[in-house]
Short mmCIF file of all heavy atoms in Angstrom, two decimals:
data_model
loop_
_atom_site.label_atom_id
_atom_site.label_comp_id
_atom_site.label_asym_id
_atom_site.label_seq_id
_atom_site.Cartn_x
_atom_site.Cartn_y
_atom_site.Cartn_z
N ILE A 1 7.85 2.68 -1.60
CA ILE A 1 7.65 1.58 -2.66
C ILE A 1 8.96 1.40 -3.41
O ILE A 1 9.28 0.20 -3.66
CB ILE A 1 6.45 2.00 -3.52
CG1 ILE A 1 5.14 2.11 -2.89
CG2 ILE A 1 6.46 1.00 -4.67
CD1 ILE A 1 4.67 0.85 -2.12
N GLU A 2 9.64 2.40 -3.78
CA GLU A 2 10.92 2.14 -4.52
C GLU A 2 12.04 1.53 -3.74
O GLU A 2 12.83 0.73 -4.16
CB GLU A 2 11.42 3.54 -5.09
CG GLU A 2 10.49 4.08 -6.31
CD GLU A 2 10.45 3.21 -7.54
OE1 GLU A 2 11.45 2.25 -7.58
OE2 GLU A 2 9.49 3.21 -8.41
N GLU A 3 12.05 1.97 -2.45
CA GLU A 3 12.97 1.35 -1.48
C GLU A 3 12.58 -0.15 -1.24
O GLU A 3 13.49 -0.90 -1.21
CB GLU A 3 12.87 1.99 -0.01
CG GLU A 3 13.50 3.41 -0.03
CD GLU A 3 13.32 4.15 1.26
OE1 GLU A 3 13.04 3.52 2.41
OE2 GLU A 3 13.43 5.34 1.27
N ALA A 4 11.42 -0.54 -1.10
CA ALA A 4 11.01 -1.84 -1.11
C ALA A 4 11.31 -2.67 -2.29
O ALA A 4 11.72 -3.81 -2.38
CB ALA A 4 9.38 -2.02 -0.86
N ARG A 5 11.19 -2.03 -3.57
CA ARG A 5 11.60 -2.64 -4.81
C ARG A 5 12.96 -3.14 -4.73
O ARG A 5 13.36 -4.20 -5.22
CB ARG A 5 11.34 -1.75 -5.91
CG ARG A 5 11.71 -2.12 -7.31
CD ARG A 5 11.46 -1.00 -8.26
NE ARG A 5 11.47 -1.49 -9.64
CZ ARG A 5 11.10 -0.70 -10.67
NH1 ARG A 5 10.82 0.62 -10.49
NH2 ARG A 5 10.99 -1.26 -11.84
N ALA A 6 13.89 -2.16 -4.29
CA ALA A 6 15.25 -2.57 -4.33
C ALA A 6 15.61 -3.55 -3.20
O ALA A 6 16.33 -4.52 -3.29
CB ALA A 6 16.12 -1.30 -4.27
N ARG A 7 14.98 -3.33 -1.96
CA ARG A 7 15.40 -4.14 -0.82
C ARG A 7 14.85 -5.56 -0.99
O ARG A 7 15.61 -6.42 -0.51
CB ARG A 7 14.73 -3.47 0.41
CG ARG A 7 14.91 -4.13 1.72
CD ARG A 7 14.21 -3.57 2.83
NE ARG A 7 14.95 -2.34 3.21
CZ ARG A 7 15.17 -2.06 4.44
NH1 ARG A 7 14.61 -2.77 5.49
NH2 ARG A 7 15.89 -1.05 4.73
N PHE A 8 13.80 -5.82 -1.53
CA PHE A 8 13.11 -7.03 -1.59
C PHE A 8 13.10 -7.67 -2.97
O PHE A 8 12.48 -8.79 -3.25
CB PHE A 8 11.81 -6.95 -0.97
CG PHE A 8 11.76 -6.70 0.47
CD1 PHE A 8 11.52 -5.34 0.71
CD2 PHE A 8 12.03 -7.57 1.46
CE1 PHE A 8 11.42 -4.92 2.10
CE2 PHE A 8 12.07 -7.12 2.80
CZ PHE A 8 11.74 -5.84 3.11
N ASP A 9 13.82 -6.99 -4.04
CA ASP A 9 13.79 -7.54 -5.37
C ASP A 9 12.37 -7.89 -5.88
O ASP A 9 12.18 -8.98 -6.42
CB ASP A 9 14.75 -8.78 -5.47
CG ASP A 9 15.02 -9.03 -6.96
OD1 ASP A 9 14.97 -8.11 -7.80
OD2 ASP A 9 15.31 -10.23 -7.29
N LEU A 10 11.47 -6.90 -5.76
CA LEU A 10 10.16 -7.15 -6.18
C LEU A 10 9.81 -6.92 -7.63
O LEU A 10 10.51 -6.38 -8.37
CB LEU A 10 9.14 -6.02 -5.39
CG LEU A 10 9.22 -6.19 -3.86
CD1 LEU A 10 8.41 -5.04 -3.21
CD2 LEU A 10 8.84 -7.52 -3.44
N LEU A 11 8.70 -7.53 -7.94
CA LEU A 11 8.33 -7.46 -9.43
C LEU A 11 7.13 -6.42 -9.50
O LEU A 11 6.83 -6.01 -10.68
CB LEU A 11 7.81 -8.75 -9.91
CG LEU A 11 8.78 -9.93 -9.88
CD1 LEU A 11 8.25 -11.33 -10.14
CD2 LEU A 11 9.87 -9.61 -10.81
N GLY A 12 6.60 -6.05 -8.53
CA GLY A 12 5.49 -5.12 -8.38
C GLY A 12 5.20 -4.77 -6.96
O GLY A 12 5.38 -5.64 -5.96
N CYS A 13 4.76 -3.61 -6.62
CA CYS A 13 4.41 -3.16 -5.27
C CYS A 13 3.53 -1.92 -5.35
O CYS A 13 3.94 -0.94 -5.91
CB CYS A 13 5.50 -2.98 -4.37
SG CYS A 13 5.11 -2.76 -2.62
N VAL A 14 2.29 -2.02 -4.91
CA VAL A 14 1.45 -0.90 -4.84
C VAL A 14 0.85 -0.71 -3.44
O VAL A 14 0.74 -1.79 -2.61
CB VAL A 14 0.31 -0.90 -5.79
CG1 VAL A 14 0.86 -1.03 -7.30
CG2 VAL A 14 -0.67 -2.06 -5.53
N CYS A 15 0.53 0.57 -3.07
CA CYS A 15 -0.08 0.84 -1.87
C CYS A 15 -1.07 1.96 -2.07
O CYS A 15 -0.77 3.01 -2.70
CB CYS A 15 0.95 1.33 -0.81
SG CYS A 15 0.16 1.62 0.77
N VAL A 16 -2.32 1.99 -1.63
CA VAL A 16 -3.32 2.95 -1.62
C VAL A 16 -3.69 3.19 -0.19
O VAL A 16 -3.94 2.16 0.49
CB VAL A 16 -4.41 2.58 -2.70
CG1 VAL A 16 -5.08 1.38 -2.30
CG2 VAL A 16 -5.39 3.77 -2.73
N HIS A 17 -3.93 4.47 0.14
CA HIS A 17 -4.48 4.81 1.40
C HIS A 17 -5.57 5.85 1.32
O HIS A 17 -5.55 6.65 0.48
CB HIS A 17 -3.29 5.48 2.39
CG HIS A 17 -3.62 5.42 3.73
ND1 HIS A 17 -4.78 6.09 4.43
CD2 HIS A 17 -2.95 4.82 4.80
CE1 HIS A 17 -4.67 5.78 5.75
NE2 HIS A 17 -3.66 5.13 5.92
N ARG A 18 -6.67 5.46 2.06
CA ARG A 18 -7.79 6.32 1.93
C ARG A 18 -7.73 7.65 2.80
O ARG A 18 -7.03 7.67 3.70
CB ARG A 18 -9.05 5.53 2.54
CG ARG A 18 -9.90 4.65 1.76
CD ARG A 18 -10.59 5.31 0.60
NE ARG A 18 -11.60 6.25 1.07
CZ ARG A 18 -12.77 6.11 1.46
NH1 ARG A 18 -13.20 4.95 1.65
NH2 ARG A 18 -13.60 7.11 1.76
N THR A 19 -8.51 8.70 2.37
CA THR A 19 -8.66 9.85 3.13
C THR A 19 -10.22 10.00 3.13
O THR A 19 -10.87 9.42 2.43
CB THR A 19 -8.03 11.11 2.61
OG1 THR A 19 -8.37 11.17 1.30
CG2 THR A 19 -6.53 10.94 2.78
N GLY A 20 -10.56 10.88 4.06
CA GLY A 20 -12.11 11.28 4.02
C GLY A 20 -12.68 10.32 5.24
O GLY A 20 -12.05 9.80 6.21
N HIS A 21 -14.09 10.32 5.27
CA HIS A 21 -14.70 9.71 6.31
C HIS A 21 -14.94 8.18 5.96
O HIS A 21 -15.45 7.96 4.83
CB HIS A 21 -16.13 10.34 6.43
CG HIS A 21 -16.92 9.86 7.58
ND1 HIS A 21 -16.66 10.35 8.93
CD2 HIS A 21 -17.97 9.04 7.62
CE1 HIS A 21 -17.49 9.71 9.76
NE2 HIS A 21 -18.35 9.06 9.07
N LEU A 22 -14.61 7.34 6.92
CA LEU A 22 -14.77 5.80 6.72
C LEU A 22 -15.55 5.28 7.78
O LEU A 22 -15.38 5.69 8.96
CB LEU A 22 -13.33 5.23 6.70
CG LEU A 22 -12.52 5.27 5.43
CD1 LEU A 22 -11.90 6.70 5.26
CD2 LEU A 22 -11.38 4.31 5.48
N ALA A 23 -16.29 4.23 7.46
CA ALA A 23 -17.07 3.53 8.38
C ALA A 23 -16.44 2.37 8.85
O ALA A 23 -15.55 1.80 8.27
CB ALA A 23 -18.51 3.13 7.69
N VAL A 24 -16.95 1.78 9.92
CA VAL A 24 -16.38 0.56 10.52
C VAL A 24 -16.54 -0.56 9.36
O VAL A 24 -17.45 -0.68 8.70
CB VAL A 24 -17.17 0.05 11.71
CG1 VAL A 24 -16.79 -1.33 12.16
CG2 VAL A 24 -16.91 1.05 12.92
N GLY A 25 -15.33 -1.21 9.22
CA GLY A 25 -15.27 -2.28 8.27
C GLY A 25 -14.75 -1.75 6.83
O GLY A 25 -14.27 -2.59 6.13
N ASP A 26 -14.70 -0.51 6.64
CA ASP A 26 -14.17 -0.02 5.47
C ASP A 26 -12.65 -0.23 5.28
O ASP A 26 -11.88 -0.04 6.23
CB ASP A 26 -14.22 1.52 5.14
CG ASP A 26 -15.83 1.82 4.80
OD1 ASP A 26 -16.51 0.94 4.48
OD2 ASP A 26 -16.10 2.98 4.90
N PRO A 27 -12.11 -0.65 4.01
CA PRO A 27 -10.62 -0.71 3.98
C PRO A 27 -10.08 0.69 4.00
O PRO A 27 -10.58 1.60 3.30
CB PRO A 27 -10.51 -1.32 2.55
CG PRO A 27 -11.69 -1.97 2.28
CD PRO A 27 -12.85 -1.20 2.88
N ALA A 28 -9.04 0.90 4.65
CA ALA A 28 -8.43 2.11 4.93
C ALA A 28 -7.08 2.25 4.15
O ALA A 28 -6.60 3.30 3.76
CB ALA A 28 -8.13 2.40 6.45
N VAL A 29 -6.43 1.10 4.09
CA VAL A 29 -5.14 1.04 3.34
C VAL A 29 -4.91 -0.38 2.82
O VAL A 29 -5.33 -1.45 3.30
CB VAL A 29 -3.92 1.36 4.34
CG1 VAL A 29 -3.90 0.42 5.49
CG2 VAL A 29 -2.53 1.37 3.60
N TRP A 30 -4.32 -0.47 1.54
CA TRP A 30 -4.01 -1.70 1.03
C TRP A 30 -2.73 -1.76 0.39
O TRP A 30 -2.37 -0.74 -0.27
CB TRP A 30 -5.05 -2.00 -0.19
CG TRP A 30 -5.02 -3.44 -0.64
CD1 TRP A 30 -5.78 -4.45 -0.23
CD2 TRP A 30 -4.22 -3.93 -1.85
NE1 TRP A 30 -5.47 -5.60 -0.94
CE2 TRP A 30 -4.55 -5.15 -2.00
CE3 TRP A 30 -3.41 -3.29 -2.75
CZ2 TRP A 30 -3.96 -6.08 -2.82
CZ3 TRP A 30 -2.80 -4.12 -3.60
CH2 TRP A 30 -3.11 -5.46 -3.81
N VAL A 31 -1.91 -2.73 0.68
CA VAL A 31 -0.54 -3.01 0.15
C VAL A 31 -0.52 -4.35 -0.57
O VAL A 31 -1.00 -5.34 -0.04
CB VAL A 31 0.50 -3.02 1.30
CG1 VAL A 31 1.93 -3.31 0.64
CG2 VAL A 31 0.46 -1.71 2.05
N GLY A 32 0.06 -4.41 -1.72
CA GLY A 32 0.25 -5.56 -2.48
C GLY A 32 1.73 -5.69 -2.93
O GLY A 32 2.06 -4.76 -3.63
#
């Protein structure tokens, strides 16, 4: 995330990744 901040001159960047048991259709990772 910090590398992306510098490389792309971002104002914000977050990423969350799931662990555990996920069903079909569940979000597994999100990047903004």
Side-chain angles (χ1 to χ4, degrees):
I1 297 298
E2 290 296 338
E3 289 172 20
R5 178 185 200 172
R7 177 181 281 225
F8 300 99
D9 193 28
L10 297 177
L11 301 170
C13 188
V14 299
C15 179
V16 58
H17 201 298
R18 275 291 306 277
T19 56
H21 191 75
L22 284 75
V24 169
D26 284 350
V29 60
W30 191 89
V31 178

